[in-house]
Amino acid sequence: MLLVVACVATLSACATRMVGPSGVPFDPENPKVFVIAGKQIVVDQEPIFVTRKGATIVWELPKDQKLTFPSDGIVVRAERNEFACRVEEGATRFSCRWVDAKPHRSYKYTIKVRQDGKDLPPLDPSMFGDF
């Protein structure tokens, strides 16, 4: 038993959090969305690992680039009403709450963004219920 505790402690000490380009750790409940060269949507986490049941994920756009989410800015491909999603805060944030999502399952979603009112090509990343 002591050996198991020692191994777990050693592994925990070695574990690191993933960090973004700014040196700030990624937050699976608050992924950042960017547009590269005015053409390509990028999410700072792919896939997003959701670590608790009932979590709300809030995708955020930079406020200084004339980017907005349309009303269907995030659409999760799920069997039934497992997610409750909505656009918020001046269309620069979009949230999805895991209402009845299953654990240990991957979900594809589509992300849509507008730049200066023009639709950009959508992105189809994924998220994983790691709880």
Side-chain angles (χ1 to χ4, degrees):
M1 181 66 171
L2 185 58
L3 179 59
V4 171
V5 171
C7 288
V8 169
T10 302
L11 290 174
S12 296
C14 294
T16 59
R17 291 185 73 182
M18 296 292 292
V19 294
S22 64
V24 176
F26 290 125
D27 180 355
E29 292 184 24
N30 195 290
K32 305 300 183 225
V33 180
F34 303 95
V35 172
I36 305 299
K39 299 177 185 176
Q40 184 176 355
I41 300 169
V42 177
V43 179
D44 72 353
Q45 301 168 65
E46 169 54 22
I48 295 169
F49 285 93
V50 178
T51 58
R52 63 186 183 88
K53 190 172 186 166
T56 297
I57 301 171
V58 180
W59 289 264
E60 232 177 313
L61 292 166
K63 291 179 176 43
D64 61 346
Q65 296 182 12
K66 299 182 182 176
L67 301 173
T68 57
F69 287 110
S71 60
D72 63 344
I74 305 284
V75 176
V76 181
R77 291 184 215 127
E79 298 170 2
R80 50 189 164 67
N81 294 330
E82 297 173 63
F83 297 86
C85 300
R86 66 186 180 92
V87 67
E88 53 184 60
E89 276 192 36
T92 60
R93 291 167 47 109
F94 208 102
S95 65
C96 288
R97 187 169 57 87
W98 286 54
V99 177
D100 193 23
K102 295 180 175 36
H104 310 296
R105 181 169 177 196
S106 181
Y107 291 91
K108 293 291 282 178
Y109 66 97
T110 299
I111 210 170
K112 296 177 186 175
V113 174
R114 290 187 178 136
Q115 186 169 35
D116 292 321
K118 182 180 176 184
D119 292 335
L120 298 172
L123 179 69
D124 293 311
S126 59
M127 55 185 157
F128 184 78
D130 192 21
F131 50 88

